Amino acid sequence: LRSGITAEYGGLGGGGVIIADCLKANHARAKKDGKSLDLRTFIAGRNRLENPGAKALSEAFSLLGTLEQIEVIQNGIQYEGVAAIADCIKHSPNLKILNLNDNIMTPKGAIAIAKALPSAKMLEVLNMGDCLVKSKGALSVAENIKGLTNLKELILSYNEIKVDGGEAVAKMCAGLSSLTNLDLDGNHFGSEGKEKITDALGADKLSILKPGLDNDEGVPSDDEGEEEEKEEKEEEKEEKKDSPP
């Protein structure tokens, strides 16, 4: 059975868990009959899946191992759900499109996704725009996309990324011959930072920077920087709490 599921703007909420349970049951039934449940696409934007739905669906997708396209934009998914999606990536060798735009990923979640990327050799589109990735998350993405030789589109816009993260991503993307679209707009580079980004890409690759950096939000003020440092320290404390002894 080859199939796809599209359920956008549906307010699924807890229904994501029900769908996941149905997928698991149908997979077991198909396996018993010597067949397979060949689910290729799952698109469910703006459905309030949140962590329970994301975790249940990711577990089902991992079991199937056939997903090529996962799009769950604006679903209120936080770290626990994002971590489950990261695990799903490791069990989805044919994944080509991953769209997580506008979820509450934070650097911790971005790092989890980034560390799973080397398993996604077929990946063509990665959208992590508006996910609070920040520089820490962007640096991890840069470290882990080197082997993605099929990657065509990378979206990291509106993520409060500073120049160190943006420059690292640009340097790595300069070496990806397949990449045709890199979106780093709406971050915190500032005028000098934007020059560093374009220099890191090089003249031959500037055309992939779409839609450009015109909506860059500039370098944060001292007060904003101090507030961000506090938030990062709190996040680090939480990470240590969650880490095994």
Side-chain angles (χ1 to χ4, degrees):
L1 173 64
R2 294 184 180 182
S3 57
I5 296 173
T6 300
E8 296 193 278
Y9 303 95
L12 281 174
V17 177
I18 296 171
I19 292 174
D21 288 343
C22 289
L23 288 172
K24 292 176 189 176
N26 284 324
H27 170 72
R29 191 177 298 116
K31 189 175 181 180
K32 187 177 179 181
D33 293 339
K35 299 177 182 178
S36 63
L37 181 61
D38 196 10
L39 184 70
R40 303 290 184 90
T41 65
F42 182 82
I43 302 171
R46 300 176 179 88
N47 263 299
R48 300 198 302 273
L49 292 174
E50 300 179 342
N51 284 346
K55 288 168 72 176
L57 287 164
S58 295
E59 185 177 328
F61 297 160
S62 295
L63 183 65
L64 297 178
T66 57
L67 270 290
E68 296 180 1
Q69 180 176 4
I70 300 173
E71 299 197 44
V72 286
I73 67 169
Q74 203 179 93
N75 269 287
I77 303 171
Q78 300 181 31
Y79 171 70
E80 286 184 17
V82 172
I85 293 171
D87 187 63
C88 167
I89 294 171
K90 298 173 185 176
H91 296 90
S92 303
N94 299 318
L95 189 64
K96 294 180 180 178
I97 298 173
L98 181 62
N99 188 344
L100 303 172
N101 191 280
D102 200 6
N103 283 289
I104 312 162
M105 188 177 292
T106 73
K108 188 178 177 182
I111 290 168
I113 294 292
K115 288 183 176 179
L117 291 177
S119 300
K121 300 295 185 185
M122 303 298 291
L123 195 65
E124 296 179 1
V125 177
L126 177 60
N127 188 334
M128 293 166 62
D130 202 9
C131 285
L132 289 173
V133 167
K134 299 190 177 181
S135 287
K136 196 172 179 181
L139 287 166
S140 188
V141 170
E143 289 173 8
N144 287 282
I145 59 173
K146 184 177 181 180
L148 301 184
T149 56
N150 293 295
L151 192 64
K152 298 177 181 177
E153 185 172 341
L154 176 61
I155 297 175
L156 289 169
S157 51
Y158 297 94
N159 268 311
E160 299 182 12
I161 299 170
K162 295 179 183 176
V163 66
D164 58 337
E167 189 175 13
V169 169
K171 281 181 180 177
M172 192 57 67
C173 287
L176 293 176
S177 59
S178 59
L179 198 68
T180 57
N181 186 11
L182 171 63
D183 188 352
L184 289 170
D185 203 13
N187 284 298
H188 291 171
F189 301 145
S191 298
E192 290 184 9
K194 288 195 287 184
E195 287 183 17
K196 288 183 178 180
I197 302 299
T198 54
D199 287 346
L201 269 177
D204 293 340
K205 277 286 192 176
L206 276 183
S207 61
I208 72 169
L209 200 58
K210 302 170 185 174
L213 300 172
D214 292 342
N215 295 305
D216 183 76
E217 297 186 359
V219 178
S221 66
D222 290 341
D223 289 342
E224 289 173 329
E226 287 174 9
E227 185 63 32
E228 189 170 334
E229 281 183 22
K230 286 181 183 178
E231 289 176 4
E232 287 176 355
K233 285 178 182 177
E234 287 299 319
E235 286 169 3
E236 286 175 4
K237 285 181 184 178
E238 290 300 317
E239 285 177 26
K240 287 177 181 177
K241 284 182 186 178
D242 294 339
S243 298

